[in-house]
Amino acid sequence: MRRRMTSAPGESPVRLYHVSKSYMAGQFALQDVSLEIRRGEFVFLTGASGAGKTTLLELIFAAEQPSEGQIVVLGRNVARLGARAIPALRRRVGVVFQDFKLLEDRTVEENVRLALDVIGTPRREARNRVFSMLKSVGLQHRRFHHPRSLSGGEQQRVALARALVNEPEILLADEPTGNLDPELTLEIMDLIAAAATRGTTVVVATHDHSLIERYGKRWLRLEGGRIAEDLPATAGVERGAAR
Amino acid sequence: MNRALILIGIALANAARGIRRASTTSLLAVLTIAVVLVLVGSAWLLVGNMASLLDEFGAELGMTAYLDPALSEASQRELVARVSQEDDVATATLVTKEEALLRFEKIAGSGDLLSGLEENPLPPALEIRLVPAARTEAGVERVEAVLADLPGVTELAHGQEWIEGYARAIALVRGIALGLGTVLGLAALLIVANTIRLAIYARRDELDILALVGASRTFVRVPFLLEGTIQGLLGGLLALFLVFATFSLLQSQLEYGLELVLGRAGLAFFTKGQSIALVAAGAGLGLLGSITALVGWKGTS
């Protein structure tokens, strides 16, 4: 497997130093957040609606800039990143959303291939990589179908395939199972967990505490834009089980 | 394969997909450009043919310098050579006393009018045709000043009013064509820009997703530029076809009418270069429309 190593080995791919984000004067979506996520680590992010989960993810993939503090993602300071440098960073960060964000007029294969098209991957290589990726999420037989003909779980697997086909160093998932039933939820979460075992740093924002119990990973709980709890993997299991 | 070529291929595929997806608005843009270029092309063709006709008439406008009858034949030839050297002069032709008499008899219908006279009273003359650039009041004055200083020239005659009228007619026709072209071109530009803006709005979800997967600004924008250019190119080709078809249909009738009224009939369609220029103008209009639509569009975050 190809893997780019541009940040120094051992250097954490996500580091936040006293980061605040405010959309309106005096109202903070995130306030004084400092944290470090290590390479290959799997982190659950929880909190009530408006706690700052989505804002934190948006800051990591440079959709937003911090109002205060510094964010270093894969060795790049997001606060100082120019508009032209953002696409290069995003090619190294896969993102999955609750609403899948698939293009209805393109086939499954074309949707997944988007991530390879933007970097000018030759057509044959792109087709092979997309096929392998779809095979790994169990959808190779559906590659010529359009998203509308797929179930919710299948659509999320396509979105996951698109996020992972470029072998990103970080995978961010914002409520990836929010629209799925329990069985499909586990299917998707197993695929995400598998990415982490291959060395991808994974951050999953979720409301579903049962996932924290089941997977027993590091657990960050946000409250009012601040980190209320940061529990390591094992403690996460105990704490999740207690709720 | 070269990465740039792959990206160009992807951009072309995305542009074609964009046109297919928004086929109604794309068709509207093509038709708008075609209509504008049909109007501009027709005006251009009209002006071109009018200018040719005016040039033909203008070529006949000139000056006559009457010469001293006592001037020797050698001196008359020297005078012709001297006047022909002037930049403003296209041709200078000597009309001898005998030739002048023959012309008079031809116009008058018989030689009876001058038969009572013992000798030919008509003086020799120089008939001067001006180059197109000199067919103006200033051009006539320049040539007049040269002729006035030459020995042997006794009198000058020219159709000053005709020459001024010719110059005004040419300026008016060109001015109208330029004004019409500018107004129609701007209208087409705005329509194409709005069509592309609508296309961008209709595809904002796609643009959001492209931004998510790390598409550069160029990757996102180039298909829209290509889309506008392709629409313009198609509009230009359609306009050329329509203008040609209309010209072919009307040519014989127009030429018959012109022959009756003006005694001239030669109407010409665009040259190959002009035809290419009309189609290229369509492509340029489409490209410019896309650029106008994308200016100020910050794109997705």
Side-chain angles (χ1 to χ4, degrees):
Chain A
M1 181 184 282
R2 298 175 317 125
R3 181 152 307 280
R4 290 163 295 204
M5 295 288 284
T6 44
S7 47
E11 190 180 85
S12 298
V14 179
R15 286 173 286 155
L16 281 78
Y17 303 101
H18 305 288
V19 169
S20 295
K21 176 66 187 177
S22 167
Y23 295 101
M24 283 197 303
Q27 291 189 346
F28 287 93
L30 274 186
Q31 201 166 1
D32 195 28
V33 171
S34 293
L35 75 97
E36 189 169 341
I37 301 173
R38 290 178 297 278
R39 191 175 299 283
E41 196 172 14
F42 188 134
V43 179
F44 279 113
L45 203 56
T46 66
S49 293
K53 303 187 295 292
T54 300
T55 300
L56 182 56
L57 295 182
E58 284 177 345
L59 287 167
I60 295 173
F61 74 90
E64 295 289 347
Q65 298 249 315
S67 307
E68 289 167 30
Q70 305 292 326
I71 302 179
V72 181
V73 178
L74 298 168
R76 305 297 304 266
N77 188 335
V78 172
R80 292 190 197 150
L81 216 53
R84 287 177 189 277
I86 290 174
L89 177 70
R90 288 197 183 152
R91 290 169 198 165
R92 300 165 63 193
V93 181
V95 192
V96 179
F97 295 91
Q98 182 176 357
D99 60 355
F100 321 132
K101 292 198 188 299
L102 299 176
L103 293 172
E104 298 292 339
D105 65 336
R106 302 203 189 186
T107 62
V108 164
E109 183 185 82
E110 287 168 338
N111 267 286
V112 177
R113 211 179 59 209
L114 268 185
L116 298 173
D117 281 350
V118 299
I119 53 170
T121 307
R123 182 57 58 98
R124 182 175 293 183
E125 183 190 336
R127 197 172 289 148
N128 292 339
R129 284 172 65 182
V130 169
F131 185 83
S132 302
M133 195 67 238
L134 286 173
K135 200 172 172 189
S136 72
V137 297
L139 280 179
Q140 74 279 13
H141 61 293
R142 301 281 255 164
R143 64 188 183 281
F144 300 125
H145 288 241
H146 283 81
R148 208 169 292 164
S149 67
L150 305 182
S151 69
E154 286 174 324
Q155 289 191 52
Q156 193 58 292
R157 279 192 275 163
V158 176
L160 194 56
R162 184 184 63 200
L164 292 172
V165 72
N166 204 17
E167 296 169 13
E169 289 157 76
I170 300 172
L171 175 66
L172 306 175
D174 192 1
E175 303 280 0
T177 58
N179 284 339
L180 306 178
D181 60 39
E183 198 178 323
L184 292 174
T185 292
L186 293 182
E187 207 174 79
I188 293 298
M189 285 309 301
D190 284 347
L191 289 168
I192 291 174
T197 60
R198 292 194 298 268
T200 303
T201 304
V202 175
V203 182
V204 177
T206 184
H207 278 111
D208 188 346
H209 286 272
S210 69
L211 295 177
I212 300 163
E213 293 168 34
R214 183 178 179 93
Y215 289 92
K217 303 292 183 184
R218 182 180 171 190
W219 176 21
L220 282 170
R221 190 169 65 81
L222 289 170
E223 203 175 279
R226 292 176 184 272
I227 294 180
E229 284 176 296
D230 181 355
L231 301 172
T234 329
V237 179
E238 291 159 5
R239 196 62 189 265
R243 285 175 185 243
Chain B
M1 202 195 296
N2 185 299
R3 186 171 166 269
L5 282 178
I6 294 166
L7 287 170
I8 289 169
I10 292 169
L12 276 168
N14 284 345
R17 191 198 306 272
I19 290 174
R20 272 203 314 275
R21 187 172 157 180
S23 52
T24 311
T25 41
S26 295
L27 185 67
L28 188 71
V30 171
L31 290 178
T32 306
I33 292 173
V35 167
V36 167
L37 288 180
V38 162
L39 293 174
V40 170
S42 304
W44 185 9
L45 205 55
L46 190 70
V47 168
N49 278 294
M50 275 178 77
S52 300
L53 280 174
L54 284 170
D55 272 344
E56 277 183 45
F57 284 118
E60 288 170 18
L61 295 176
M63 308 169 71
T64 305
Y66 294 103
L67 306 180
D68 184 349
L71 214 58
S72 69
E73 251 183 63
S75 301
Q76 288 177 1
R77 277 193 214 98
E78 264 176 43
L79 216 54
V80 171
R82 168 71 186 80
V83 173
S84 299
Q85 284 171 359
E86 285 298 314
D87 290 340
D88 290 330
V89 173
T91 60
T93 315
L94 179 68
V95 181
T96 62
K97 284 166 69 74
E98 294 72 30
E99 284 167 344
L101 183 63
L102 281 173
R103 280 191 193 177
F104 180 80
E105 284 172 355
K106 200 173 172 188
I107 293 166
S110 75
D112 295 346
L113 281 172
L114 299 176
S115 59
L117 299 173
E118 285 181 3
E119 63 175 85
N120 178 0
L122 299 175
L126 270 184
E127 281 184 353
I128 299 160
R129 301 272 176 261
L130 302 177
V131 295
R135 289 172 201 158
T136 60
E137 205 176 342
V140 170
E141 278 172 7
R142 280 198 303 274
V143 178
E144 226 174 24
V146 171
L147 293 171
D149 287 344
L150 295 176
V153 175
T154 57
E155 199 183 334
L156 283 172
H158 51 72
Q160 178 76 20
E161 284 175 12
W162 276 95
I163 287 173
E164 285 171 17
Y166 163 78
R168 271 201 301 273
I170 286 280
L172 184 70
V173 166
R174 290 200 174 130
I176 288 172
L178 190 69
L180 201 67
T182 308
V183 170
L184 292 173
L186 280 175
L189 196 69
L190 286 176
I191 292 169
V192 173
N194 277 329
T195 308
I196 298 286
R197 249 186 224 123
L198 278 177
I200 292 172
Y201 184 75
R203 279 151 64 183
R204 60 195 184 285
D205 288 349
E206 177 184 343
L207 302 181
D208 282 342
I209 291 167
L210 282 173
L212 273 181
V213 296
S216 65
R217 280 164 69 91
T218 309
F219 185 93
V220 173
R221 283 165 193 246
V222 165
F224 286 110
L225 298 179
L226 286 172
E227 224 172 282
T229 309
I230 292 168
Q231 286 167 355
L233 201 66
L234 292 175
L237 283 170
L238 183 61
L240 183 67
F241 169 75
L242 290 174
V243 174
F244 179 73
T246 312
F247 179 82
S248 303
L249 273 175
L250 299 179
Q251 187 180 14
S252 58
Q253 291 168 44
L254 283 173
E255 283 183 342
Y256 180 69
L258 284 171
E259 181 73 51
L260 280 178
V261 177
L262 302 172
R264 288 174 170 77
L267 287 180
F269 189 67
F270 294 131
T271 61
K272 199 182 280 180
Q274 287 171 328
S275 302
I276 292 171
L278 188 74
V279 177
L285 209 58
L287 177 64
L288 213 58
S290 306
I291 292 170
T292 310
L294 289 169
V295 166
W297 176 62
K298 288 179 180 163
T300 49
S301 56

